[in-house]
Amino acid sequence: MTGGPEASNNGTRAAATQRGQAKELRRLALLSAAAGLFAENGFTRVSLEDLGAAAGVSGPAVYRHFPGKQAVLGELLLSVSRDLLDGGLRVVSESDDPLTALTGLIQFQVDFALSNPDVIRVQDRDFDSLSDADQAEVRSLQRSYVETWVDVLARIHTDADVPGLRVRAHAAFGLINSTPHSVRHHGRRIAVKSARPILEQMALAALTSA
């Protein structure tokens, strides 16, 4: 004889897990659609209906995942900021020396920039459209990410002052993050393959120079 309460409970849990996974996939699809639409049109010109259509759901269905359009923008930039900080800390923790850590951080940032040009554009243009609370949290996460780089640079440039090291870090971000905009206009597939080693070499040279 098969079945019984245990089998029924297992089936219920499996169904709940599948529903949860499907909901998470729709949420991620909405965030991906938002990145592209916000980057192309600007936050203020995109409606919930536009977001839903791009993600394959109705406009009102967006409310099942986010309370409104501003919340979509907030989650987009917050999730990216968290991922950057977590990834940067992981790179440093897995490195045996500061130069290896710096090289890993550069590779990590280059990979992010080449994979997420839309998010970078949204951050640059639509940051002020975030709620005050989300702006504060994004800034806090990004400051922590910068300080991860500064801590590594301080172990390489032992005589340098911290403000100067922050200038180095921000200059490297400017170099790495601005390039994907031009890459997209000159044949993405070919340009990304060529751009990656150039960006990594230039950033490393700039950050390790005396």
Side-chain angles (χ1 to χ4, degrees), residues 84-143:
L84 280 172
L85 178 56
D86 291 344
L89 291 172
R90 183 171 58 254
V91 167
V92 175
S93 69
E94 295 174 353
S95 301
D96 295 328
D97 59 80
L99 185 57
T100 300
L102 180 61
T103 301
L105 285 173
I106 292 169
Q107 292 172 343
F108 174 69
Q109 183 66 32
V110 169
D111 184 64
F112 165 77
L114 293 177
S115 301
N116 298 276
D118 288 340
V119 175
I120 292 173
R121 189 175 180 187
V122 173
Q123 159 79 27
D124 290 344
R125 185 174 59 192
D126 294 316
F127 180 84
D128 289 342
S129 295
L130 290 170
S131 68
D132 291 343
D134 284 347
Q135 284 189 27
E137 188 172 355
V138 168
R139 286 195 180 103
S140 177
L141 289 165
Q142 293 180 350
R143 280 196 299 267

Short mmCIF file of all heavy atoms in Angstrom, two decimals, residues 84-143:
data_model
loop_
_atom_site.label_atom_id
_atom_site.label_comp_id
_atom_site.label_asym_id
_atom_site.label_seq_id
_atom_site.Cartn_x
_atom_site.Cartn_y
_atom_site.Cartn_z
N LEU A 84 27.59 43.12 -5.36
CA LEU A 84 28.94 43.65 -5.51
C LEU A 84 29.71 43.55 -4.21
O LEU A 84 30.87 43.10 -4.18
CB LEU A 84 28.89 45.10 -5.98
CG LEU A 84 28.64 45.34 -7.46
CD1 LEU A 84 28.43 46.82 -7.74
CD2 LEU A 84 29.79 44.80 -8.31
N LEU A 85 29.10 43.96 -3.11
CA LEU A 85 29.78 43.90 -1.82
C LEU A 85 30.10 42.46 -1.43
O LEU A 85 31.22 42.14 -1.04
CB LEU A 85 28.93 44.57 -0.75
CG LEU A 85 29.51 44.54 0.68
CD1 LEU A 85 30.90 45.15 0.72
CD2 LEU A 85 28.58 45.24 1.65
N ASP A 86 29.12 41.58 -1.55
CA ASP A 86 29.34 40.18 -1.20
C ASP A 86 30.43 39.56 -2.07
O ASP A 86 31.30 38.83 -1.58
CB ASP A 86 28.05 39.37 -1.35
CG ASP A 86 27.00 39.74 -0.31
OD1 ASP A 86 27.37 40.39 0.70
OD2 ASP A 86 25.82 39.38 -0.50
N GLY A 87 30.38 39.86 -3.36
CA GLY A 87 31.39 39.31 -4.26
C GLY A 87 32.78 39.85 -3.99
O GLY A 87 33.76 39.10 -4.01
N GLY A 88 32.86 41.16 -3.71
CA GLY A 88 34.16 41.74 -3.40
C GLY A 88 34.76 41.16 -2.14
O GLY A 88 35.96 40.84 -2.09
N LEU A 89 33.95 41.00 -1.11
CA LEU A 89 34.44 40.42 0.15
C LEU A 89 34.89 38.97 -0.07
O LEU A 89 35.88 38.53 0.52
CB LEU A 89 33.34 40.49 1.21
CG LEU A 89 32.99 41.88 1.72
CD1 LEU A 89 31.76 41.83 2.62
CD2 LEU A 89 34.17 42.51 2.46
N ARG A 90 34.16 38.25 -0.90
CA ARG A 90 34.52 36.86 -1.17
C ARG A 90 35.86 36.78 -1.90
O ARG A 90 36.71 35.93 -1.58
CB ARG A 90 33.43 36.18 -1.99
CG ARG A 90 33.68 34.71 -2.25
CD ARG A 90 32.47 34.03 -2.87
NE ARG A 90 32.07 34.65 -4.13
CZ ARG A 90 30.99 35.43 -4.28
NH1 ARG A 90 30.21 35.70 -3.25
NH2 ARG A 90 30.69 35.95 -5.46
N VAL A 91 36.06 37.66 -2.88
CA VAL A 91 37.33 37.68 -3.61
C VAL A 91 38.49 37.91 -2.64
O VAL A 91 39.51 37.20 -2.69
CB VAL A 91 37.32 38.78 -4.69
CG1 VAL A 91 38.74 39.02 -5.22
CG2 VAL A 91 36.39 38.40 -5.83
N VAL A 92 38.35 38.87 -1.76
CA VAL A 92 39.42 39.19 -0.82
C VAL A 92 39.67 38.04 0.14
O VAL A 92 40.82 37.67 0.42
CB VAL A 92 39.09 40.48 -0.04
CG1 VAL A 92 40.14 40.75 1.04
CG2 VAL A 92 39.00 41.67 -1.00
N SER A 93 38.60 37.44 0.65
CA SER A 93 38.75 36.35 1.62
C SER A 93 39.42 35.13 1.01
O SER A 93 40.08 34.35 1.73
CB SER A 93 37.39 35.96 2.20
OG SER A 93 36.58 35.33 1.23
N GLU A 94 39.29 34.94 -0.30
CA GLU A 94 39.87 33.78 -0.96
C GLU A 94 41.26 34.05 -1.53
O GLU A 94 41.85 33.16 -2.16
CB GLU A 94 38.93 33.31 -2.08
CG GLU A 94 37.59 32.79 -1.58
CD GLU A 94 36.61 32.48 -2.69
OE1 GLU A 94 36.93 32.80 -3.86
OE2 GLU A 94 35.52 31.93 -2.41
N SER A 95 41.80 35.25 -1.30
CA SER A 95 43.10 35.63 -1.85
C SER A 95 44.18 35.52 -0.79
O SER A 95 43.97 35.87 0.38
CB SER A 95 43.06 37.07 -2.40
OG SER A 95 42.07 37.18 -3.41
N ASP A 96 45.37 35.08 -1.21
CA ASP A 96 46.47 34.86 -0.27
C ASP A 96 47.32 36.10 -0.03
O ASP A 96 48.06 36.16 0.95
CB ASP A 96 47.38 33.73 -0.78
CG ASP A 96 46.66 32.39 -0.83
OD1 ASP A 96 45.79 32.16 0.02
OD2 ASP A 96 46.97 31.58 -1.74
N ASP A 97 47.24 37.07 -0.92
CA ASP A 97 48.07 38.27 -0.78
C ASP A 97 47.34 39.44 -1.42
O ASP A 97 46.40 39.24 -2.20
CB ASP A 97 49.44 38.06 -1.43
CG ASP A 97 49.33 37.72 -2.91
OD1 ASP A 97 49.14 38.65 -3.72
OD2 ASP A 97 49.39 36.53 -3.26
N PRO A 98 47.76 40.68 -1.11
CA PRO A 98 47.01 41.85 -1.60
C PRO A 98 47.00 42.00 -3.11
O PRO A 98 46.00 42.44 -3.68
CB PRO A 98 47.71 43.03 -0.92
CG PRO A 98 49.02 42.51 -0.45
CD PRO A 98 48.81 41.06 -0.15
N LEU A 99 48.09 41.65 -3.79
CA LEU A 99 48.10 41.78 -5.24
C LEU A 99 47.13 40.81 -5.89
O LEU A 99 46.42 41.16 -6.85
CB LEU A 99 49.51 41.56 -5.80
CG LEU A 99 49.67 41.81 -7.31
CD1 LEU A 99 49.24 43.22 -7.69
CD2 LEU A 99 51.11 41.55 -7.75
N THR A 100 47.08 39.60 -5.37
CA THR A 100 46.10 38.63 -5.88
C THR A 100 44.68 39.13 -5.62
O THR A 100 43.79 38.99 -6.46
CB THR A 100 46.31 37.27 -5.21
OG1 THR A 100 47.63 36.79 -5.48
CG2 THR A 100 45.30 36.25 -5.72
N ALA A 101 44.47 39.70 -4.43
CA ALA A 101 43.14 40.24 -4.10
C ALA A 101 42.76 41.37 -5.04
O ALA A 101 41.62 41.43 -5.53
CB ALA A 101 43.13 40.72 -2.65
N LEU A 102 43.70 42.28 -5.32
CA LEU A 102 43.42 43.40 -6.20
C LEU A 102 43.12 42.92 -7.62
O LEU A 102 42.17 43.40 -8.26
CB LEU A 102 44.59 44.37 -6.22
CG LEU A 102 44.43 45.61 -7.11
CD1 LEU A 102 43.23 46.44 -6.65
CD2 LEU A 102 45.70 46.45 -7.11
N THR A 103 43.91 41.97 -8.08
CA THR A 103 43.67 41.42 -9.42
C THR A 103 42.28 40.78 -9.49
O THR A 103 41.55 40.95 -10.47
CB THR A 103 44.74 40.38 -9.77
OG1 THR A 103 46.04 40.99 -9.72
CG2 THR A 103 44.52 39.81 -11.16
N GLY A 104 41.91 40.06 -8.43
CA GLY A 104 40.60 39.43 -8.39
C GLY A 104 39.48 40.45 -8.36
O GLY A 104 38.43 40.27 -9.01
N LEU A 105 39.66 41.52 -7.59
CA LEU A 105 38.65 42.57 -7.53
C LEU A 105 38.47 43.23 -8.90
O LEU A 105 37.33 43.52 -9.32
CB LEU A 105 39.04 43.63 -6.50
CG LEU A 105 38.87 43.25 -5.03
CD1 LEU A 105 39.46 44.34 -4.13
CD2 LEU A 105 37.39 43.03 -4.69
N ILE A 106 39.56 43.48 -9.59
CA ILE A 106 39.48 44.09 -10.92
C ILE A 106 38.73 43.17 -11.87
O ILE A 106 37.83 43.61 -12.61
CB ILE A 106 40.88 44.41 -11.46
CG1 ILE A 106 41.52 45.54 -10.65
CG2 ILE A 106 40.83 44.77 -12.94
CD1 ILE A 106 43.00 45.74 -10.94
N GLN A 107 39.08 41.90 -11.88
CA GLN A 107 38.40 40.95 -12.75
C GLN A 107 36.91 40.87 -12.42
O GLN A 107 36.07 40.79 -13.33
CB GLN A 107 39.05 39.58 -12.62
CG GLN A 107 40.46 39.52 -13.18
CD GLN A 107 41.18 38.22 -12.88
OE1 GLN A 107 40.75 37.46 -11.98
NE2 GLN A 107 42.26 37.94 -13.58
N PHE A 108 36.60 40.88 -11.15
CA PHE A 108 35.21 40.83 -10.70
C PHE A 108 34.44 42.06 -11.18
O PHE A 108 33.32 41.95 -11.70
CB PHE A 108 35.19 40.74 -9.17
CG PHE A 108 33.81 40.83 -8.57
CD1 PHE A 108 32.89 39.81 -8.73
CD2 PHE A 108 33.45 41.94 -7.81
CE1 PHE A 108 31.63 39.89 -8.16
CE2 PHE A 108 32.19 42.02 -7.24
CZ PHE A 108 31.27 41.00 -7.41
N GLN A 109 35.04 43.25 -11.04
CA GLN A 109 34.36 44.48 -11.45
C GLN A 109 34.22 44.55 -12.96
O GLN A 109 33.18 45.00 -13.48
CB GLN A 109 35.13 45.70 -10.93
CG GLN A 109 34.48 47.04 -11.24
CD GLN A 109 33.15 47.22 -10.52
OE1 GLN A 109 32.98 46.71 -9.41
NE2 GLN A 109 32.23 47.96 -11.13
N VAL A 110 35.23 44.13 -13.68
CA VAL A 110 35.16 44.13 -15.15
C VAL A 110 34.05 43.19 -15.62
O VAL A 110 33.26 43.53 -16.51
CB VAL A 110 36.51 43.73 -15.78
CG1 VAL A 110 36.36 43.46 -17.28
CG2 VAL A 110 37.54 44.83 -15.55
N ASP A 111 33.98 42.02 -15.01
CA ASP A 111 32.94 41.08 -15.37
C ASP A 111 31.56 41.67 -15.10
O ASP A 111 30.64 41.55 -15.93
CB ASP A 111 33.11 39.78 -14.59
CG ASP A 111 32.09 38.72 -15.00
OD1 ASP A 111 32.13 38.29 -16.16
OD2 ASP A 111 31.26 38.34 -14.16
N PHE A 112 31.41 42.32 -13.96
CA PHE A 112 30.13 42.96 -13.64
C PHE A 112 29.79 44.04 -14.66
O PHE A 112 28.67 44.10 -15.17
CB PHE A 112 30.18 43.59 -12.25
CG PHE A 112 29.06 44.56 -12.00
CD1 PHE A 112 27.78 44.10 -11.71
CD2 PHE A 112 29.27 45.92 -12.08
CE1 PHE A 112 26.74 44.99 -11.51
CE2 PHE A 112 28.23 46.82 -11.88
CZ PHE A 112 26.97 46.35 -11.59
N ALA A 113 30.74 44.90 -14.97
CA ALA A 113 30.48 46.03 -15.86
C ALA A 113 30.12 45.56 -17.26
O ALA A 113 29.20 46.11 -17.89
CB ALA A 113 31.69 46.95 -15.91
N LEU A 114 30.81 44.56 -17.76
CA LEU A 114 30.53 44.08 -19.11
C LEU A 114 29.24 43.28 -19.18
O LEU A 114 28.62 43.19 -20.24
CB LEU A 114 31.70 43.22 -19.61
CG LEU A 114 33.01 43.96 -19.84
CD1 LEU A 114 34.11 42.98 -20.25
CD2 LEU A 114 32.86 45.06 -20.89
N SER A 115 28.82 42.72 -18.04
CA SER A 115 27.59 41.92 -18.01
C SER A 115 26.36 42.74 -17.67
O SER A 115 25.24 42.31 -17.94
CB SER A 115 27.73 40.78 -17.00
OG SER A 115 28.81 39.94 -17.30
N ASN A 116 26.54 43.93 -17.09
CA ASN A 116 25.41 44.71 -16.59
C ASN A 116 25.46 46.19 -17.00
O ASN A 116 25.28 47.07 -16.16
CB ASN A 116 25.36 44.63 -15.06
CG ASN A 116 25.16 43.22 -14.56
OD1 ASN A 116 24.05 42.72 -14.46
ND2 ASN A 116 26.27 42.57 -14.20
N PRO A 117 25.68 46.48 -18.27
CA PRO A 117 25.76 47.89 -18.67
C PRO A 117 24.46 48.64 -18.43
O PRO A 117 24.48 49.83 -18.12
CB PRO A 117 26.10 47.83 -20.16
CG PRO A 117 25.62 46.48 -20.61
CD PRO A 117 25.85 45.57 -19.43
N ASP A 118 23.32 47.95 -18.55
CA ASP A 118 22.03 48.62 -18.32
C ASP A 118 21.90 49.07 -16.86
O ASP A 118 21.43 50.18 -16.58
CB ASP A 118 20.87 47.69 -18.68
CG ASP A 118 20.72 47.49 -20.17
OD1 ASP A 118 21.24 48.33 -20.93
OD2 ASP A 118 20.09 46.50 -20.58
N VAL A 119 22.31 48.21 -15.94
CA VAL A 119 22.21 48.55 -14.52
C VAL A 119 23.09 49.75 -14.20
O VAL A 119 22.71 50.64 -13.44
CB VAL A 119 22.60 47.35 -13.64
CG1 VAL A 119 22.61 47.73 -12.17
CG2 VAL A 119 21.62 46.20 -13.87
N ILE A 120 24.28 49.78 -14.77
CA ILE A 120 25.19 50.92 -14.54
C ILE A 120 24.56 52.21 -15.04
O ILE A 120 24.61 53.25 -14.38
CB ILE A 120 26.54 50.66 -15.23
CG1 ILE A 120 27.27 49.50 -14.54
CG2 ILE A 120 27.41 51.92 -15.20
CD1 ILE A 120 28.53 49.07 -15.25
N ARG A 121 23.93 52.15 -16.20
CA ARG A 121 23.29 53.34 -16.75
C ARG A 121 22.12 53.79 -15.87
O ARG A 121 21.92 54.99 -15.64
CB ARG A 121 22.80 53.05 -18.16
CG ARG A 121 22.30 54.28 -18.90
CD ARG A 121 21.96 53.95 -20.33
NE ARG A 121 21.49 55.12 -21.05
CZ ARG A 121 20.99 55.08 -22.29
NH1 ARG A 121 20.92 53.93 -22.93
NH2 ARG A 121 20.59 56.18 -22.88
N VAL A 122 21.34 52.83 -15.37
CA VAL A 122 20.22 53.17 -14.49
C VAL A 122 20.74 53.80 -13.20
O VAL A 122 20.18 54.80 -12.71
CB VAL A 122 19.39 51.90 -14.17
CG1 VAL A 122 18.34 52.20 -13.11
CG2 VAL A 122 18.71 51.39 -15.44
N GLN A 123 21.80 53.24 -12.64
CA GLN A 123 22.39 53.81 -11.43
C GLN A 123 22.82 55.25 -11.65
O GLN A 123 22.55 56.14 -10.83
CB GLN A 123 23.59 52.96 -11.01
CG GLN A 123 24.59 53.64 -10.09
CD GLN A 123 24.16 53.68 -8.64
OE1 GLN A 123 23.40 52.83 -8.19
NE2 GLN A 123 24.64 54.66 -7.91
N ASP A 124 23.46 55.50 -12.78
CA ASP A 124 23.96 56.85 -13.07
C ASP A 124 22.83 57.86 -13.27
O ASP A 124 22.92 59.00 -12.83
CB ASP A 124 24.85 56.82 -14.33
CG ASP A 124 26.17 56.10 -14.10
OD1 ASP A 124 26.54 55.90 -12.93
OD2 ASP A 124 26.82 55.73 -15.10
N ARG A 125 21.76 57.42 -13.94
CA ARG A 125 20.73 58.37 -14.34
C ARG A 125 19.55 58.46 -13.39
O ARG A 125 18.96 59.53 -13.21
CB ARG A 125 20.22 58.01 -15.75
CG ARG A 125 19.24 59.03 -16.32
CD ARG A 125 18.89 58.69 -17.75
NE ARG A 125 18.29 57.37 -17.87
CZ ARG A 125 18.11 56.75 -19.04
NH1 ARG A 125 18.51 57.33 -20.17
NH2 ARG A 125 17.54 55.56 -19.09
N ASP A 126 19.17 57.34 -12.77
CA ASP A 126 17.91 57.29 -12.04
C ASP A 126 18.08 57.11 -10.53
O ASP A 126 17.08 56.84 -9.84
CB ASP A 126 17.03 56.16 -12.59
CG ASP A 126 16.58 56.43 -14.02
OD1 ASP A 126 16.19 57.57 -14.30
OD2 ASP A 126 16.63 55.50 -14.84
N PHE A 127 19.28 57.26 -10.03
CA PHE A 127 19.49 57.09 -8.59
C PHE A 127 18.59 58.01 -7.78
O PHE A 127 18.05 57.61 -6.74
CB PHE A 127 20.96 57.35 -8.25
CG PHE A 127 21.28 57.20 -6.79
CD1 PHE A 127 21.55 55.96 -6.24
CD2 PHE A 127 21.30 58.31 -5.94
CE1 PHE A 127 21.83 55.81 -4.90
CE2 PHE A 127 21.57 58.18 -4.59
CZ PHE A 127 21.84 56.93 -4.06
N ASP A 128 18.41 59.23 -8.24
CA ASP A 128 17.59 60.20 -7.49
C ASP A 128 16.11 59.83 -7.44
O ASP A 128 15.36 60.41 -6.66
CB ASP A 128 17.75 61.60 -8.09
CG ASP A 128 19.12 62.20 -7.82
OD1 ASP A 128 19.82 61.71 -6.92
OD2 ASP A 128 19.50 63.15 -8.53
N SER A 129 15.70 58.89 -8.27
CA SER A 129 14.30 58.44 -8.24
C SER A 129 14.04 57.40 -7.16
O SER A 129 12.89 57.01 -6.94
CB SER A 129 13.90 57.88 -9.61
OG SER A 129 13.93 58.89 -10.61
N LEU A 130 15.09 56.92 -6.51
CA LEU A 130 14.91 55.99 -5.39
C LEU A 130 14.26 56.70 -4.21
O LEU A 130 14.37 57.92 -4.06
CB LEU A 130 16.27 55.44 -4.93
CG LEU A 130 17.01 54.47 -5.85
CD1 LEU A 130 18.41 54.25 -5.32
CD2 LEU A 130 16.26 53.15 -5.96
N SER A 131 13.62 55.93 -3.35
CA SER A 131 13.14 56.49 -2.09
C SER A 131 14.33 56.90 -1.24
O SER A 131 15.46 56.43 -1.46
CB SER A 131 12.30 55.46 -1.33
OG SER A 131 13.13 54.40 -0.87
N ASP A 132 14.10 57.78 -0.27
CA ASP A 132 15.20 58.23 0.59
C ASP A 132 15.86 57.06 1.31
O ASP A 132 17.09 57.00 1.44
CB ASP A 132 14.68 59.24 1.62
CG ASP A 132 14.27 60.56 0.99
OD1 ASP A 132 14.69 60.82 -0.16
OD2 ASP A 132 13.54 61.34 1.64
N ALA A 133 15.04 56.12 1.78
CA ALA A 133 15.58 54.97 2.51
C ALA A 133 16.45 54.10 1.61
O ALA A 133 17.53 53.65 2.00
CB ALA A 133 14.45 54.14 3.10
N ASP A 134 15.99 53.87 0.37
CA ASP A 134 16.77 53.05 -0.55
C ASP A 134 18.05 53.77 -0.98
O ASP A 134 19.10 53.14 -1.15
CB ASP A 134 15.93 52.69 -1.78
CG ASP A 134 14.91 51.60 -1.48
OD1 ASP A 134 15.02 50.96 -0.42
OD2 ASP A 134 14.00 51.40 -2.31
N GLN A 135 17.97 55.09 -1.16
CA GLN A 135 19.18 55.84 -1.48
C GLN A 135 20.22 55.67 -0.38
O GLN A 135 21.41 55.43 -0.67
CB GLN A 135 18.86 57.33 -1.65
CG GLN A 135 18.18 57.69 -2.95
CD GLN A 135 18.08 59.19 -3.15
OE1 GLN A 135 18.89 59.95 -2.64
NE2 GLN A 135 17.07 59.63 -3.90
N ALA A 136 19.80 55.78 0.86
CA ALA A 136 20.73 55.66 1.98
C ALA A 136 21.34 54.27 2.03
O ALA A 136 22.56 54.13 2.28
CB ALA A 136 20.01 55.97 3.29
N GLU A 137 20.54 53.24 1.79
CA GLU A 137 21.06 51.88 1.86
C GLU A 137 22.01 51.59 0.71
O GLU A 137 23.05 50.95 0.89
CB GLU A 137 19.92 50.87 1.89
CG GLU A 137 20.41 49.45 2.15
CD GLU A 137 19.31 48.45 2.36
OE1 GLU A 137 18.12 48.85 2.42
OE2 GLU A 137 19.61 47.24 2.48
N VAL A 138 21.65 52.04 -0.50
CA VAL A 138 22.53 51.83 -1.64
C VAL A 138 23.87 52.53 -1.40
O VAL A 138 24.94 51.95 -1.64
CB VAL A 138 21.89 52.34 -2.94
CG1 VAL A 138 22.92 52.39 -4.08
CG2 VAL A 138 20.72 51.45 -3.34
N ARG A 139 23.82 53.76 -0.91
CA ARG A 139 25.07 54.48 -0.63
C ARG A 139 25.91 53.74 0.42
O ARG A 139 27.14 53.65 0.29
CB ARG A 139 24.76 55.90 -0.12
CG ARG A 139 24.28 56.86 -1.21
CD ARG A 139 24.36 58.29 -0.71
NE ARG A 139 23.91 59.25 -1.71
CZ ARG A 139 22.72 59.83 -1.70
NH1 ARG A 139 21.85 59.56 -0.72
NH2 ARG A 139 22.38 60.69 -2.63
N SER A 140 25.27 53.23 1.45
CA SER A 140 25.99 52.51 2.49
C SER A 140 26.66 51.25 1.93
O SER A 140 27.84 50.98 2.21
CB SER A 140 25.03 52.13 3.62
OG SER A 140 25.70 51.37 4.62
N LEU A 141 25.94 50.49 1.13
CA LEU A 141 26.50 49.29 0.53
C LEU A 141 27.66 49.63 -0.41
O LEU A 141 28.70 48.95 -0.40
CB LEU A 141 25.42 48.54 -0.25
CG LEU A 141 24.33 47.86 0.59
CD1 LEU A 141 23.14 47.48 -0.29
CD2 LEU A 141 24.88 46.62 1.29
N GLN A 142 27.49 50.68 -1.19
CA GLN A 142 28.54 51.04 -2.14
C GLN A 142 29.77 51.60 -1.44
O GLN A 142 30.89 51.37 -1.88
CB GLN A 142 27.98 52.02 -3.17
CG GLN A 142 26.94 51.37 -4.08
CD GLN A 142 26.36 52.30 -5.11
OE1 GLN A 142 26.57 53.51 -5.08
NE2 GLN A 142 25.59 51.76 -6.05
N ARG A 143 29.56 52.34 -0.34
CA ARG A 143 30.72 52.80 0.45
C ARG A 143 31.50 51.61 0.99
O ARG A 143 32.74 51.62 0.98
CB ARG A 143 30.26 53.71 1.58
CG ARG A 143 29.98 55.14 1.17
CD ARG A 143 29.91 56.06 2.38
NE ARG A 143 28.84 55.67 3.29
CZ ARG A 143 27.62 56.17 3.25
NH1 ARG A 143 27.28 57.05 2.32
NH2 ARG A 143 26.70 55.77 4.12
#
